[in-house]
Amino acid sequence: MSKLNHYTARVLTGGLLLAVTLLLAGIVLTVARPGIEAVHMASVSRIPGDIAAWRPGGFFTLGLLVLLATPILRVAALFTGFLRNRMWLFSACSFLVLVLLGLSLYLGVAA
Amino acid sequence: MMHVIILALVGFVGGTFGSMVGLGGGLFIIPALVLFLKVPVHNAIAASLLGVVATSTTASAAYLRQDLTNVRLGISLETMTVSGALVGGFVGSGLGKSTLSAIFGGMMVCVAIYMGVRQRVVRPPVVESGDTGLLGDSYHDHASGEAVGYRVRRLPFGLGASLVAGLVSGLLGVGGGFLKVPVMVMVMTVPVRAAVATSSFMIGVTACASAAVYFTKGLVDPVVAVPVVLGVVVGAYLGSKLSLRVKSSVLTVVLAVVLFALAVQMLLSSVGISVR
């Protein structure tokens, strides 16, 4: 289990570092452009345009999305790890959690 | 600017304490945002959920490296927790501010009282490292220098409690660790350090399911969420390092007192009485 634990830790750390980097980039852009209007609602559809125009809002939203995706990636990592170790019951549990998380996202978007 | 610093400080405190006792920090973050910084309650819950994800990710990465986390138990309980969070996320976003404040305040009183008497938990029975069963595990206790093995008992109760914890998470924007840790310790006979690490591992996924709903409903305010999250990351990293050095009993009592005070304020605000 120790190998699986360390592999999962690396997935979590990688996602966290990427999220923090994006959030810090947004802060740097905010400080560098005083007077820029603050965005009070995270909008996924604005990410590409904001990133291309170096607007902080896009970096903030993308960073928060990456943070939100990290636990999901962690579950996916566990799913593959349990499969590799032939721990079928726990790989089934991991798969079920992934399905429920996907359902949560789908229902949220549909609502 | 001062507003941003205070938001980050709120996240820092929540992340530090939360990571040390297996909570996400939402129980501190939400009342601090709502009562002292006048953040609208649904935006506060959304920011708190993201903060819980950050606490969980940061702390569990550290605990996984120390092999404290029981990933088999964690993934098993997560099936019920995520189910509860899915339902709670939809119900909570449709409730009024006063109702949410009343629920939250009541839950915090229970948590504070529980944490205040936490020293009365029963020690789990000692088992050999190789006799831990399907869900049990073992870890190296740095304090005693010995390997600690344990079996997991009363799984059905644990699954039921995880469902409730997930529901509460979705309703109130917390990780549910305040219910998961005592259930694992007192009912499932998991040692405290392993329970804290496993709870930290689970609450991120619990909060993620609810946070996704708030995100898609446009309730995430980056002006609030970003400083809180960054503060949480720093605090949770520090907290996971401190947890091995500070007696959890001391920390628990301090947190219980703070939570009780905040709970009273939340309950009063739910009936329209402001204490500021």
Side-chain angles (χ1 to χ4, degrees):
Chain A
M1 291 304 297
S2 187
K3 266 189 181 177
L4 182 58
N5 288 348
H6 288 246
Y7 167 62
T8 309
R10 281 199 299 273
V11 170
L12 288 170
T13 303
L16 184 68
L17 286 176
L18 178 58
V20 169
T21 301
L22 288 166
L23 295 178
L24 288 176
I27 288 177
V28 168
L29 286 170
T30 302
V31 171
R33 300 168 75 172
I36 191 168
E37 193 180 338
V39 175
H40 287 277
M41 190 175 88
S43 171
V44 176
S45 59
R46 291 185 55 164
I47 290 176
D50 282 350
I51 299 279
W54 293 96
R55 283 193 288 266
F59 288 88
F60 288 148
T61 304
L62 185 59
L64 293 175
L65 273 181
V66 169
L67 178 69
L68 212 55
T70 300
I72 302 173
L73 284 174
R74 184 268 281 167
V75 179
L78 275 179
F79 172 64
T80 58
F82 283 132
L83 272 182
R84 233 181 284 126
N85 287 284
R86 298 174 186 269
M87 300 170 82
W88 312 120
L89 174 63
F90 300 111
S91 63
C93 288
S94 308
F95 184 73
L96 179 59
V97 172
L98 280 173
V99 168
L100 289 169
L101 287 171
L103 184 61
S104 164
L105 193 60
Y106 170 74
L107 289 174
V109 171
Chain B
M1 185 63 179
M2 182 55 67
H3 191 76
V4 170
I5 292 172
I6 294 173
L7 284 168
L9 201 58
V10 167
F12 175 78
V13 173
T16 305
F17 280 103
S19 63
M20 293 181 77
V21 294
L23 309 182
L27 287 170
F28 171 80
I29 292 172
I30 294 177
L33 291 181
V34 172
L35 294 176
F36 300 114
L37 296 172
K38 305 303 181 191
V39 174
V41 68
H42 287 105
N43 293 134
I45 290 175
S48 167
L49 285 168
L50 287 162
V52 170
V53 173
T55 303
S56 171
T57 304
T58 310
S60 58
Y63 291 136
L64 278 163
R65 279 189 218 103
Q66 296 163 18
D67 288 323
L68 281 169
T69 309
N70 187 333
V71 294
R72 282 169 287 135
L73 176 62
I75 201 70
S76 302
L77 296 179
E78 270 179 9
T79 56
M80 301 306 286
T81 304
V82 176
S83 303
L86 185 58
V87 174
F90 280 98
V91 173
S93 61
L95 291 176
K97 177 186 170 183
S98 295
T99 308
L100 282 171
S101 296
I103 294 172
F104 195 71
M107 295 295 293
M108 283 174 65
V109 167
C110 297
V111 170
I113 292 171
Y114 156 71
M115 291 187 115
V117 296
R118 195 178 166 212
Q119 292 314 300
R120 295 183 189 171
V121 295
V122 176
R123 276 192 179 278
V126 175
V127 300
E128 296 294 325
S129 293
D131 183 32
T132 54
L134 180 64
L135 286 176
D137 205 349
S138 63
Y139 63 91
H140 179 75
D141 190 323
H142 293 279
S144 64
E146 294 175 351
V148 176
Y150 61 93
R151 295 181 69 92
V152 173
R153 303 172 201 276
R154 304 183 196 96
L155 179 64
F157 191 97
L159 290 170
S162 293
L163 182 69
V164 173
L167 193 68
V168 170
S169 168
L171 281 172
L172 302 177
V174 296
F178 70 93
L179 185 58
K180 294 173 188 175
V181 174
V183 166
M184 277 193 278
V185 173
M186 295 195 297
V187 178
M188 304 178 79
T189 65
V190 176
V192 167
R193 286 208 190 280
V196 166
T198 307
S199 171
S200 296
F201 177 78
M202 286 195 287
I203 56 178
V205 168
T206 311
C208 183
S210 307
V213 175
Y214 279 82
F215 209 107
T216 54
K217 288 179 182 291
L219 294 171
V220 173
D221 182 350
V223 174
V224 176
V226 171
V228 168
V229 164
L230 290 175
V232 162
V233 169
V234 177
Y237 180 77
L238 180 67
S240 64
K241 298 299 179 190
L242 283 174
S243 67
L244 293 178
R245 291 181 169 79
V246 175
K247 271 189 176 179
S248 61
S249 57
V250 173
L251 194 57
T252 304
V253 171
V254 171
L255 188 56
V257 171
V258 172
L259 285 177
F260 191 81
L262 289 172
V264 169
Q265 290 189 357
M266 286 290 281
L267 284 170
L268 290 174
S269 78
S270 72
V271 294
I273 300 171
S274 174
V275 294
R276 296 195 71 226

